Amino acid sequence: AFSTVETRTCLPGDPAVRGMQRWRAARTSTALLAVVGMPLSGRAGAGSGTREPSEEATARAAAFAASPAAPEYPDVLMEWLRTSMAEVRGGSFVGRALDAGTGVSSLRWMRTLPAESIVAVTASEGMKNDMNAALPPCPHTEVVVHNWCPSNALATVMRTSESPAASGLHLAHPNASATSADDETSGVFDTVLMDYLLGSIEYYAPFGETALMDALTDKVAPDGVLLFVGREPFPFPARLGEAGAQKFDSAPWAARIVLDTERLRDSAMLLSQQRHYREFPCEWVEEALRRRGFVVTAVETHPIAHSVSRVKRQIKWAEREASRIGDEGLRAAMLARAKGLRKAADACPELSVRGGFRFGGNYAIVATRAAACEGEGESCPAGTGVGLCAEAVAQIPFHGLGP
């Protein structure tokens, strides 16, 4: 009932499977550019005029990378982003950088890059304080409180330090103060990072995904680079109809524990009058970028390794949300279910193997702006070889969910 696609366990017909099949066929923009007959060397962001970081920025990044505050272990996707960005630019230039949904881990990584300056944005004063306490100060790095979706009247009131996500990927309530960050976040940036930001939008600013993508793609300089990290949604057996329950029951035990844990947390959030997180598939993000005049130059995926400790952290989050349920009977039932899942995680051999149980996947995207079209008549949409023009981007066939 479940099929494995590139070390990922998925339900047949799920959008995640289609996405993985697309990634397997084309992991970089080579296949996309071939559709419109454009050479890879003509992509936006590449070419002559390559810039390099200043000596000061290079030395500052190297010093931080060697310090105790640097990431203890390299993150596979983040290091892939570093390499891919350098390939697109033909060098290690980062320039003015924006960490659009910052947290301690993402800012740690950003500070290992030779950026001339970094603006790290959170909507939580508590997260800002936590980050300033966790990382040494740097005059070229500014952590600011800012709201990317100020007009969203449905936005959730921030709980700051009580936020269920420890990553600090926050979008604020419209009443949150953002005026102090206007100067820091104004203008455009050479490098924009969206690290697990989009998946939090439903919790903090419901239905704000379009506004968020508009706001942050507008922040990318004409020759800038957008770095995106997200998580593929887990498969949902019920979408297969009446056979969904049987297909779920035949899934590996570890997969059922992971799925039940996520759905217990989501249910608890709804029953405690909150909205839950909602992940977006890579296919959705790629099409959203294309519609905004961007070319996806590289895509990479990495399977999620689920261990007993990882699952228990998710169960603890579910318990925290369940404890907020007002109805005593419902609260007790949800907490009892969480206790049962914890016992199941301890007993599941698949979660105890070295390397964990691989299920689901995270993805990373590198995108650049399409070049302005300078051709006329029959020379369009290929332009004049300066880069892939917006008209050519529109001819790239994308199918699936629209942004």
Side-chain angles (χ1 to χ4, degrees):
F2 277 63
S3 62
T4 301
V5 181
E6 289 200 346
T7 71
R8 175 194 173 100
T9 307
C10 297
L11 283 169
D14 190 83
V17 176
R18 297 199 301 271
M20 290 297 289
Q21 290 168 342
R22 291 176 62 242
W23 294 327
R24 180 172 54 185
R27 287 182 175 271
T28 68
S29 62
T30 305
L32 300 180
L33 297 175
V35 172
V36 292
M38 291 291 293
L40 184 62
S41 60
R43 66 177 180 238
S48 60
T50 299
R51 292 180 289 173
E52 292 296 333
S54 66
E55 293 183 3
E56 179 186 1
T58 301
R60 187 168 58 245
F64 181 82
S67 73
E72 185 175 359
Y73 302 104
D75 181 283
V76 174
L77 283 180
M78 303 306 279
E79 292 309 304
W80 176 86
L81 282 176
R82 183 198 304 267
T83 301
S84 298
M85 179 171 59
E87 290 176 352
V88 167
R89 283 181 159 148
S92 57
F93 176 78
V94 177
R96 186 185 186 215
L98 171 65
D99 183 357
T102 194
V104 174
S105 60
S106 66
L107 186 54
R108 273 196 174 119
W109 179 77
M110 286 287 280
R111 288 185 59 175
T112 66
L113 302 177
E116 304 304 324
S117 65
I118 300 172
V119 176
V121 177
T122 177
S124 167
E125 288 284 359
M127 177 55 66
K128 176 182 177 179
N129 295 335
D130 291 346
M131 294 175 67
N132 286 335
L135 299 173
C138 174
H140 299 85
T141 299
E142 185 72 20
V143 181
V144 299
V145 177
H146 186 66
N147 178 14
W148 296 119
C149 301
S151 62
N152 192 322
L154 295 175
T156 302
V157 176
M158 295 300 304
R159 292 203 303 264
T160 61
S161 61
E162 294 184 10
S163 172
S167 57
L169 304 180
H170 303 311
L171 292 173
H173 185 274
N175 292 331
S177 173
T179 56
S180 61
D182 287 347
D183 291 341
E184 289 83 352
T185 59
S186 63
V188 295
F189 294 80
D190 301 295
T191 304
V192 174
L193 172 66
M194 296 177 66
D195 182 32
Y196 297 108
L197 174 58
L198 189 60
S200 69
I201 191 72
E202 188 68 15
Y203 177 80
Y204 294 108
F207 315 110
E209 57 269 16
T210 298
L212 180 69
M213 294 299 291
D214 286 344
L216 293 180
T217 51
D218 284 348
K219 289 295 177 184
V220 181
D223 58 349
V225 173
L226 175 67
L227 309 177
F228 188 99
V229 183
R231 200 205 84 191
E232 278 289 336
F234 286 136
F236 201 76
R239 71 190 302 273
L240 299 177
E242 294 181 0
Q246 287 115 350
K247 291 182 181 297
F248 179 75
D249 290 341
S250 64
W253 188 17
R256 283 180 279 140
I257 293 172
V258 170
L259 292 173
D260 277 347
T261 299
E262 180 180 65
R263 286 155 196 170
L264 178 68
R265 179 205 68 202
D266 291 351
S267 299
M269 294 180 79
L270 290 173
L271 290 170
S272 58
Q273 314 308 316
Q274 305 175 77
R275 292 179 180 271
H276 59 71
Y277 284 56
R278 180 167 69 113
E279 304 297 340
F280 287 76
C282 182
E283 185 176 11
W284 188 98
V285 178
E286 288 187 62
E287 187 161 350
L289 291 171
R290 179 184 69 88
R291 292 185 181 212
R292 289 162 176 81
F294 280 73
V295 177
V296 174
T297 61
V299 178
E300 179 68 319
T301 61
H302 189 68
I304 301 173
H306 299 272
S307 62
V308 174
S309 60
R310 181 188 179 93
V311 171
K312 283 186 173 181
R313 287 195 299 271
Q314 296 300 310
I315 294 173
K316 185 176 181 180
W317 180 358
E319 288 175 324
R320 190 161 61 245
E321 302 303 337
S323 67
R324 297 189 172 98
I325 298 175
D327 185 279
E328 184 177 351
L330 274 175
R331 183 172 64 250
M334 298 291 276
L335 291 173
R337 178 57 178 154
K339 183 177 181 181
L341 285 172
R342 183 176 280 104
K343 289 182 178 180
D346 283 328
C348 180
E350 296 167 308
L351 295 173
S352 300
V353 298
R354 182 180 179 85
F357 175 73
R358 293 191 169 193
F359 178 72
N362 298 318
Y363 60 89
I365 297 172
V366 177
T368 57
R369 285 193 180 278
C373 183
E374 299 182 11
E376 295 181 359
E378 294 183 358
S379 63
C380 284
T384 57
V386 175
L388 191 61
C389 69
E391 288 83 352
V393 173
Q395 291 191 10
I396 298 175
F398 279 78
H399 305 286
L401 302 174

